[in-house]
Amino acid sequence: MPNPTINLIERRVSANRFDPHHTLTNAEIENLVRLATRAPTAYNLQNWRFIAVRKPGAKARLRKLAFDQAKVSDAAVTFIICGERPDDTSLPGRLRPFVEAGHMPEAMALKWQDAARAQYADPQAARDEAIRSATLGAATLIYVAEALGLATGPMVGFDADGVVREFGLAPGETPVMLLAVGRAASGNWPQKPRRPLSEVLQLS
């Protein structure tokens, strides 16, 4: 019997055309993000934020910053997926339930905090981690949406500085990508061909 997760991966497309009449409820949007945050992050930092742009006025503002890509406003919601530069002081709170459940010794949690502080003292390393975490969250959101019968369209073509200003991103937050989510309209391309494994896989 075919594995449904593998089928999902093989059929997924990056949609450009969405049904502009389709909407998602707050509960549906919350469920998408709840499942997306099951993605991994270093030290369990969970250093991401998802801004769900769904009101017509907000979509219009974002569309202008995304070089007038129609899917920004046609999709039920377009997420601004933000990576946050790692903050080691957040770790005790994020690990506390795990420690209290007996899965991790408290001393280990403190060592993780020290390690994160040292690792991300370099601004470039901190920015790289923000982008990694947001990308993992975005990828998980893409497949969650697909599993729920929704289409997605990731975008990196947008004015990042404009998004920071217009949507009030905090210092240390980076808008990594936009992700349109909604019901696909007709006219989307099928999945485009992938490079052969011989070009991308090295067995050592």
Side-chain angles (χ1 to χ4, degrees):
M1 184 176 186
N3 183 288
T5 302
I6 291 173
N7 285 346
L8 181 152
I9 292 168
E10 290 182 330
R11 74 170 184 253
R12 184 212 59 83
V13 303
S14 295
N16 280 310
R17 298 179 184 273
F18 289 86
D19 176 359
H21 303 294
H22 173 242
T23 60
L24 289 169
T25 65
N26 287 354
E28 288 171 321
I29 292 169
E30 288 167 2
N31 190 46
L32 286 166
V33 174
R34 180 185 68 82
L35 292 167
T37 60
R38 295 300 193 262
T41 54
Y43 301 102
N44 196 42
L45 280 161
Q46 303 175 65
N47 52 317
W48 44 36
R49 193 160 68 94
F50 301 78
I51 302 172
V53 180
R54 59 190 180 83
K55 295 179 181 177
K59 283 181 176 181
R61 285 157 46 213
L62 184 58
R63 178 169 170 169
K64 191 175 296 185
L65 293 166
F67 310 115
D68 201 34
Q69 294 182 74
K71 57 189 167 184
V72 171
S73 53
D74 286 349
V77 58
T78 296
F79 290 96
I80 304 169
I81 301 179
C82 306
E84 300 175 340
R85 283 164 177 75
D87 174 13
D88 67 274
T89 64
S90 70
L91 265 181
R94 291 173 189 174
L95 291 173
R96 186 173 298 114
F98 206 62
V99 171
E100 290 175 350
H103 299 302
M104 172 185 279
E106 188 168 1
M108 181 181 289
L110 293 173
K111 285 182 180 178
W112 278 27
Q113 183 179 4
D114 290 342
R117 183 184 305 116
Q119 184 170 346
Y120 304 122
D122 173 58
Q124 185 63 52
R127 188 175 189 278
D128 289 349
E129 196 61 64
I131 292 171
R132 267 193 294 271
S133 295
T135 301
L136 285 166
T140 303
L141 180 51
I142 285 169
Y143 289 110
V144 166
E146 185 74 28
L148 295 174
L150 299 169
T152 59
M155 291 165 269
V156 294
F158 62 94
D159 176 357
D161 291 338
V163 168
V164 169
R165 290 192 304 270
E166 189 70 26
F167 289 88
L169 270 63
E173 285 188 326
T174 300
V176 173
M177 72 179 73
L178 307 181
L179 183 66
V181 180
R183 180 184 293 149
S186 61
N188 285 301
W189 289 340
Q191 192 178 92
K192 292 178 281 298
R194 267 34 185 184
R195 295 167 62 188
L197 285 179
S198 60
E199 293 181 5
V200 300
L201 172 64
Q202 177 179 334
L203 297 172
S204 298

